[in-house]
Amino acid sequence: MGMCSRQERIQKDIDVVIQKSRAEKDCLFADFRYSDSTFTFTYVGGPRSVSYSVHVSEDYPDNTYVSSSENDEDVLVTTEPIPVIFHRIATELRKTNDINCCLSIKSKLQKENGEV
């Protein structure tokens, strides 16, 4: 797989996330940006906004890093594609409406992936 197909796959995944978000009337996210190998979006559905960053590697979706502006130390390393990561974050925020709870996405996603 060349660089081009990797970029196309990443761009396609990002487009899916943006289109789904725009289709929701009560979308919790805004400010979607993609540059180089980082996709960012901001949670705006609560008392304060939180930015999430998804950093993709050369072997996307392997070794994808997810972090948030609330807790830079809590970085998730996953092999999930961007739409799955985004969906999990959005689902967790909808369920709890608690940013701090969602910031433990690392532990939550790792539990779901069977990692400890």
Side-chain angles (χ1 to χ4, degrees), residues 68-103:
S68 78
S69 61
E70 283 288 298
N71 187 348
D72 291 337
E73 303 299 309
D74 193 15
V75 177
L76 165 73
V77 181
T78 184
T79 58
E80 302 285 357
I82 290 170
V84 173
I85 295 166
F86 181 83
H87 176 73
R88 287 191 177 171
I89 291 171
T91 301
E92 196 55 44
L93 283 167
R94 276 201 184 87
K95 272 197 294 193
T96 62
N97 206 16
D98 177 1
I99 295 170
N100 295 321
C101 179
C102 187
L103 294 179

Side-chain angles (χ1 to χ4, degrees), residues 39-41 43 50-54 67-68 89 93 102-103 105:
F39 173 55
T40 60
F41 52 91
Y43 170 69
V50 178
S51 295
Y52 289 90
S53 298
V54 179
S67 62
S68 78
I89 291 171
L93 283 167
C102 187
L103 294 179
I105 54 170

Side-chain angles (χ1 to χ4, degrees), residues 10-57:
I10 293 167
Q11 191 61 55
K12 197 172 113 197
D13 283 355
I14 289 170
D15 290 344
V16 164
V17 166
I18 293 171
Q19 286 169 359
K20 279 187 178 175
S21 296
R22 288 193 176 138
E24 288 182 31
K25 63 180 185 309
D26 59 344
C27 181
L28 303 175
F29 298 93
D31 199 22
F32 296 95
R33 296 176 190 203
Y34 178 66
S35 62
D36 298 328
S37 56
T38 304
F39 173 55
T40 60
F41 52 91
T42 304
Y43 170 69
V44 292
R48 31 178 225 264
S49 63
V50 178
S51 295
Y52 289 90
S53 298
V54 179
H55 309 277
V56 295
S57 62

